Amino acid sequence: MSTLSPDVTIDSRGAGCPGPLMDLIGKVKKADPGTVIELQTSDTGSKDDVPEWLDKAGHELLDVVEHDDYWSIYVRTA
């Protein structure tokens, strides 16, 4: 379990690719710089897609936490 305390949590569990990433992109566009976002996703592709997009977009990947049936991906907006 992460000790990070997100400002915003996006629950995209159950959504298939590219749903979780699109949910994150929509929230990031509206967020202030420095906002910590937790993306909850059960889509295994998100573990690779989200960090790749973050790198290209200039945002920071803080942590990826694996739970029993989903992942929490923590992001800090630039």
Side-chain angles (χ1 to χ4, degrees):
M1 176 169 254
S2 178
T3 58
L4 292 168
S5 179
D7 299 307
V8 178
T9 299
I10 304 167
D11 187 351
S12 291
R13 293 176 287 182
C17 184
L21 179 59
M22 299 311 293
D23 292 344
L24 177 63
I25 291 170
K27 194 64 78 173
V28 164
K29 286 183 178 181
K30 297 176 185 175
D32 292 328
T35 300
V36 175
I37 299 173
E38 174 190 7
L39 173 64
Q40 298 175 343
T41 178
S42 54
D43 177 57
T44 57
S46 295
K47 294 185 303 175
D48 298 320
D49 296 345
V50 170
E52 185 177 310
W53 177 79
L54 292 171
D55 188 47
K56 289 179 183 176
H59 303 290
E60 182 181 1
L61 176 64
L62 299 174
D63 201 1
V64 178
V65 179
E66 186 172 352
H67 304 280
D68 289 336
D69 58 350
Y70 72 98
W71 292 267
S72 290
I73 302 174
Y74 293 89
V75 174
R76 180 176 289 123
T77 58

